[in-house]
Amino acid sequence: VQLIESGGGLVQVGGSLRLSCAASTQTFSSYDMAWFRQAPGREREFVAAINWSGGSTLYADSVKGRFTISRDNRKDTVYLQMDRLKPEDTAVYLCAAGTALTRAAEEYDGWGQGTQVTVSS
């Protein structure tokens, strides 16, 4: 499955961004989807995941209450709404597709190229 992220950019502390990840597959609704992020010099970090139906979600403690993951299976797209952004949210955000709702990056088979999010103070 090919994944293309969009929506990144430069935002001030406390601002919001909405990331999108469009999938090029006719079986999008069968995938569990996730967002990860990677800052320079740091390990790839789990952010949020959503199951195939949208009925179950997982969040990293660092973003719980500020970020919301959602999906639209009619549009083959998963979203990440990011509110109350902090400088430590600065990273490349990557979309991933898999067959399990998990925080483990190795469980996801398909990855996008990523979109840069920069939060300035």
Side-chain angles (χ1 to χ4, degrees):
V1 55
Q2 289 189 321
L3 304 171
I4 300 176
E5 302 94 337
S6 61
L10 175 65
V11 64
Q12 291 188 332
V13 169
S16 297
L17 280 175
R18 188 195 196 202
L19 305 184
S20 299
C21 172
S24 61
T25 175
Q26 294 182 340
T27 58
F28 176 75
S29 61
S30 67
Y31 287 97
D32 298 314
M33 301 295 297
W35 288 96
F36 288 77
R37 65 187 181 187
Q38 189 161 18
R42 300 190 65 178
E43 296 289 323
R44 188 167 295 186
E45 177 189 18
F46 170 78
V47 176
I50 188 166
N51 78 326
W52 63 273
S53 69
S56 296
T57 56
L58 294 174
Y59 292 95
D61 288 344
S62 58
V63 307
K64 198 173 295 184
R66 299 188 299 122
F67 291 11
T68 303
I69 189 171
S70 62
R71 67 189 295 161
D72 186 341
N73 286 344
R74 298 167 300 174
K75 296 183 178 179
D76 295 341
T77 302
V78 62
Y79 305 97
L80 186 68
Q81 177 66 42
M82 305 186 296
D83 299 318
R84 292 182 281 142
L85 283 160
K86 304 175 181 180
E88 51 264 42
D89 294 320
T90 296
V92 174
Y93 282 71
L94 304 108
C95 177
T99 55
L101 186 66
T102 175
R103 294 176 171 85
E106 61 269 23
E107 296 296 324
Y108 291 91
D109 304 314
W111 292 85
Q113 293 297 309
T115 185
Q116 176 70 46
V117 171
T118 303
V119 184
S120 66
S121 56

